Amino acid sequence: MAGKLAVVVLAAGKGTRMKSALPKVLHPLGGRSLVECALDSLIEVDPAHRLVVVGYEADQVRTALAHLDNVTFVEQTEQLGTGHAVQQVLPHLQDFEGDLLVLNGDVPLLRPSTLRQMLEVHQTRQNEATLLTAQFLDPTGYGRVFCNDDDVVTEIIEHRDCTEAQRQNRRINAGVYCFKWSALSKILPELKADNDQQEYYLTDVVKDMTPVVAVDVDDAQEIQGINNRKQLAEAYSILQDRIKDEWMTAGVTFLEPDTTTIDITVQIEPDVIIEPQTHLRGHTVIGSGSRLGPGSLIENSTVGKNATILYSTLSDSQVGDGVRVGPYAHLRGQTVVGDNCRIGNFVEIKKSTLGDRVNVAHLSYLGDATLGNQVNVGAGTITANYDGVKKHPTVIGDRTKTGSNSVFVAPVTIGPDVTVAAGSVVTKDVEADALVVARAKQSTIPGWRSKRYDQSDDTSA
């Protein structure tokens, strides 16, 4: 196996303190799982091989990462420590010559630049091992790293195995390592579990390697691991600050950043204004000049330029340039809205395509519908798309106008330039240039009152 760098991500643990049936590394953080965040941090080091060690609920982890290229899964049937986990990759790297980078799948905040810097130090100094470290004010629970004045590591001791004096050392082991594989592969088979936990510690290889150098990370938040829900929430807060700082630097305005959340996967063009209580999820793209919120949720959707989304929800949908949505509208299920449309209050649109300059001002439902350009949809218009078994389409042509409280019983096709009278229930296709009146004739019976009406009960006076 050829290549300069291989990476192994440790993702076999259960994460008992998460109190979840979901493997710890699959818990979401800003639109991606923890282990995907760890893999994303490799973008600047461009490894030739990416190995993910799986164990607890291994099939779930494999399925969750199946969309990624160049990932090899390595089974660790028993979780006996970090050293044991890396031992499992030995058969996969038999002919490999280069360096091995080891990451934990539950450390999602590492910046790509940090790993690049660490690798540069490792290769420039020709280290057999390089450790990422950090100076913590409260290092309780973390393994301690002891170095000389040249950052050469003399000893690594797990917190539980430290004496009280050793615990005063604030330099902690971040659990990120770079090894010269030719040296590590000879030592790994000799690891022993001589500790309280009866586990094989990867840190034990250090005493047999030289030189071993520590590289302090500039921002200690980067190496924050996730062991419980509180730490997951803290990491999410850190990630949100990063994301919003980056977008503000790129020309996006947040009126109240603390009330807004943005996934890692979202893309925003300059001159977008994001109002309070607005949340952008998944693979969402926002065009320049658009104004989002307040109080909007946009998920896996594309919003064009100079659009306005007010107190509304978009999911798996696309709206064009100059579109106004809301308040209190819901677009979902692959809905596509053309340019300069208006989608007003209390409108729901599902799996429908609207042309340009369509007006759906209020109180309407469009499902499985195709509307042409300049269609005006009157208040209370409904496409009755479901017959109890299947969904059926409605087609409405250019410049057609539907009256208030119109119902289109699908499947039905309405041609262009049609006017549908208010209160009509349309069940048959209509040709172009027509007026449709599909309602019963009004009947008025003078002097009628209910037989149950008793004038003595009239208390209106």
Side-chain angles (χ1 to χ4, degrees):
M1 187 181 293
K4 293 293 184 182
L5 180 67
V7 176
V8 57
V9 178
L10 308 184
K14 178 178 180 180
T16 305
R17 283 175 282 175
M18 297 296 287
K19 307 294 183 184
S20 174
L22 189 68
K24 179 170 65 172
V25 297
L26 294 188
H27 280 262
L29 185 75
R32 288 187 176 147
S33 65
L34 298 181
V35 67
E36 284 180 290
C37 290
L39 288 165
D40 286 345
S41 67
L42 302 172
I43 188 170
E44 293 188 15
V45 297
D46 191 25
H49 310 286
R50 298 189 295 177
L51 301 101
V52 177
V53 179
V54 295
Y56 176 73
E57 292 291 346
D59 288 344
Q60 276 196 58
V61 179
R62 287 191 184 95
T63 299
L65 300 181
H67 63 286
L68 299 178
D69 296 328
N70 188 28
V71 173
T72 300
F73 295 99
V74 179
E75 187 85 23
Q76 185 188 17
T77 53
E78 291 184 276
Q79 284 72 65
L80 300 177
T82 53
H84 181 258
V86 179
Q87 283 178 337
Q88 310 312 303
V89 309
L90 282 164
H92 298 269
L93 297 175
Q94 285 182 352
D95 301 320
F96 177 69
E97 294 182 2
D99 296 312
L100 178 71
L101 182 63
V102 180
L103 306 178
N104 285 307
D106 61 355
V107 180
L109 298 175
L110 278 170
R111 289 186 171 92
S113 57
T114 297
L115 293 182
R116 187 193 68 241
Q117 177 190 359
M118 179 184 176
L119 186 61
E120 287 172 354
V121 171
H122 177 79
Q123 294 177 342
T124 299
R125 295 186 60 165
Q126 297 185 335
N127 301 332
E128 286 199 341
T130 305
L131 279 61
L132 192 65
T133 53
Q135 301 283 345
F136 270 18
L137 291 176
D138 180 10
T140 303
Y142 289 90
R144 305 302 202 279
V145 179
F146 298 86
C147 301
N148 66 17
D149 292 340
D150 198 28
D151 293 326
V152 173
V153 176
T154 57
E155 195 172 17
I156 303 172
I157 306 176
E158 293 296 319
H159 176 84
R160 66 176 69 91
D161 299 321
C162 283
T163 66
E164 194 58 38
Q166 289 169 330
R167 289 180 181 178
Q168 304 310 305
N169 176 16
R170 297 191 309 179
R171 179 177 254 168
I172 65 96
N173 176 20
V176 179
Y177 313 93
C178 195
F179 298 103
K180 184 176 290 186
W181 178 245
S182 58
L184 180 64
S185 60
K186 293 181 176 65
I187 299 168
L188 274 176
E190 308 303 322
L191 274 181
K192 294 182 171 55
D194 297 332
N195 53 70
D196 290 344
Q197 297 297 110
Q198 295 296 294
E199 291 185 350
Y200 296 86
Y201 293 153
L202 186 58
T203 50
D204 286 347
V205 303
V206 170
K207 63 181 182 297
D208 296 316
M209 306 182 85
T210 186
V212 178
V213 173
V215 175
D216 274 342
V217 64
D218 292 333
D219 179 3
Q221 289 180 329
E222 287 189 46
I223 55 89
Q224 180 172 313
I226 309 299
N227 293 305
N228 54 49
R229 307 284 181 145
K230 182 175 184 294
Q231 291 174 340
L232 184 65
E234 290 169 350
Y236 185 71
S237 179
I238 293 167
L239 182 63
Q240 285 301 304
D241 287 343
R242 282 190 196 174
I243 291 171
K244 285 175 278 191
D245 285 349
E246 289 174 4
W247 286 124
M248 285 188 280
T249 301
V252 176
T253 295
F254 292 85
L255 297 189
E256 290 187 10
D258 290 345
T259 71
T260 297
T261 59
I262 313 286
D263 276 356
I264 303 167
T265 45
V266 170
Q267 294 296 316
I268 312 173
E269 293 183 359
D271 292 321
V272 168
I273 297 175
I274 300 179
E275 299 215 34
Q277 300 296 339
T278 294
H279 308 279
L280 307 183
R281 301 273 187 269
H283 296 283
T284 287
V285 178
I286 309 298
S288 64
S290 289
R291 191 177 191 102
L292 311 178
S296 293
L297 170 64
I298 304 174
E299 184 173 19
N300 294 320
S301 296
T302 299
V303 175
K305 301 178 187 299
N306 302 309
T308 300
I309 314 295
L310 172 64
Y311 288 114
S312 294
T313 298
L314 278 63
S315 59
D316 303 302
S317 294
Q318 176 181 329
V319 300
D321 297 342
V323 173
R324 291 180 293 158
V325 178
Y328 313 116
H330 185 190
L331 278 59
R332 61 187 178 92
Q334 290 82 52
T335 285
V336 178
V337 177
D339 295 338
N340 301 306
C341 294
R342 180 188 173 199
I343 311 300
N345 50 296
F346 303 106
V347 171
E348 180 180 1
I349 305 179
K350 189 275 296 186
K351 201 176 182 181
S352 296
T353 300
L354 281 60
D356 297 338
R357 290 181 288 167
V358 171
N359 187 39
V360 192
H362 30 226
L363 302 164
S364 295
Y365 170 71
L366 302 177
D368 299 281
T370 301
L371 278 63
N373 297 324
Q374 295 180 262
V375 174
N376 187 78
V377 178
T381 295
I382 303 295
T383 59
N385 56 331
Y386 185 49
D387 65 5
V389 178
K390 294 181 179 179
K391 299 289 181 71
H392 299 283
T394 297
V395 178
I396 300 176
D398 295 346
R399 298 173 299 282
T400 285
K401 300 175 177 61
T402 76
S404 297
N405 289 334
S406 298
V407 178
F408 296 87
V409 182
V412 66
T413 298
I414 311 300
D417 299 298
V418 170
T419 297
V420 179
S424 293
V425 178
V426 181
T427 60
K428 296 179 181 178
D429 293 352
V430 179
E431 297 294 332
D433 298 302
L435 169 66
V436 181
V437 182
R439 62 190 182 208
K441 182 179 179 181
Q442 179 173 314
S443 297
T444 302
I445 304 174
W448 180 92
R449 67 175 59 190
S450 171
K451 293 179 181 179
R452 293 173 299 192
Y453 180 79
D454 185 343
Q455 193 169 7
S456 64
D457 292 335
D458 187 356
T459 59
S460 61

